[in-house]
Amino acid sequence: MARDVRGRAPAGPKPRIQAVAAAVAALFVLLGVLGFIPGVTTHYGDLAFAGHHSEAKLLGLFQVSILLNLLHLLSGLVGLVLARRIAGARLFLAGGGAVYLGLWLYGFAIDRETAANFVPFNDADNWLHLFLGFGMLVVGLLLSNDVGTGGRLDTPIDRP
C-alpha cells in the first residue's frame, strides 16, 4: 500500500460531517464578509457597531451590525478549524446549533426596542436562527452516528 510523505496510509474521503461542517463554516464567513459590503447590505450608512439602532439589513432582510458581522466571521473561522476533525465537526454543528436555538429563544423573548437587543434581532433573524439552529443540531447529531464505529477512530479534539 502506498504511503504519504509522513509514512501514514493515504487518507480516504472525509466523512460527510466534516464536509457539512466546513460548508456551514464557510457560509458564516461569507455572511460576515457580505455584511460589510454596501449594496448587498442595504442602508449601509446606518450600520452601527451594535444595538437595535442599526438599520442596515443584509440582503434587505436580516438586520445586521458590525458586532454581528464580526461574530459571523469569528464563528465561521472557528468552524473551519474545528471541521478538520470529526469530533470538532460534531462540536461545531451540534454545539453551534444549540447556541443558535438559544439565540432564537433570546430574540423571541426580549423587547426588541430596548438595549437587550444588542446584536440586533428582527423577525427574519429570529426565523433564521430557529431553522439554522435546528438544522445544525440535527445534522451534527445524525451525521455522526456511524462515524468512528468501525472505521477510523478519531483523535480527541484536545490531542494533536
Side-chain angles (χ1 to χ4, degrees), residues 75-105:
S75 64
L77 293 174
V78 167
L80 287 172
V81 170
L82 288 175
R84 296 177 64 188
R85 299 230 169 123
I86 295 170
R90 287 178 185 155
L91 177 66
F92 174 67
L93 289 171
V99 167
Y100 272 97
L101 286 175
L103 283 174
W104 168 70
L105 285 173

Side-chain angles (χ1 to χ4, degrees), residues 61-63 100-110 112 117 120-133:
L61 190 60
F62 304 103
Q63 191 173 3
Y100 272 97
L101 286 175
L103 283 174
W104 168 70
L105 285 173
Y106 182 77
F108 182 72
I110 64 169
R112 288 188 228 139
N117 191 6
F121 299 112
N122 64 7
D123 286 334
D125 291 312
N126 283 338
W127 283 107
L128 179 65
H129 292 154
L130 173 65
F131 292 121
L132 188 60

Side-chain angles (χ1 to χ4, degrees), residues 14-87:
K14 287 193 180 261
R16 285 183 300 167
I17 191 165
Q18 287 179 275
V20 170
V24 170
L27 179 65
F28 282 133
V29 170
L30 178 65
L31 291 175
V33 170
L34 290 176
F36 290 113
I37 298 176
V40 177
T41 300
T42 59
H43 305 289
Y44 186 79
D46 297 327
L47 184 68
F49 178 75
H52 66 281
H53 299 294
S54 181
E55 294 297 322
K57 292 187 179 178
L58 181 62
L59 305 173
L61 190 60
F62 304 103
Q63 191 173 3
V64 294
S65 65
I66 294 171
L67 176 63
L68 185 60
N69 291 336
L70 292 174
L71 288 172
H72 283 144
L73 280 170
L74 180 65
S75 64
L77 293 174
V78 167
L80 287 172
V81 170
L82 288 175
R84 296 177 64 188
R85 299 230 169 123
I86 295 170

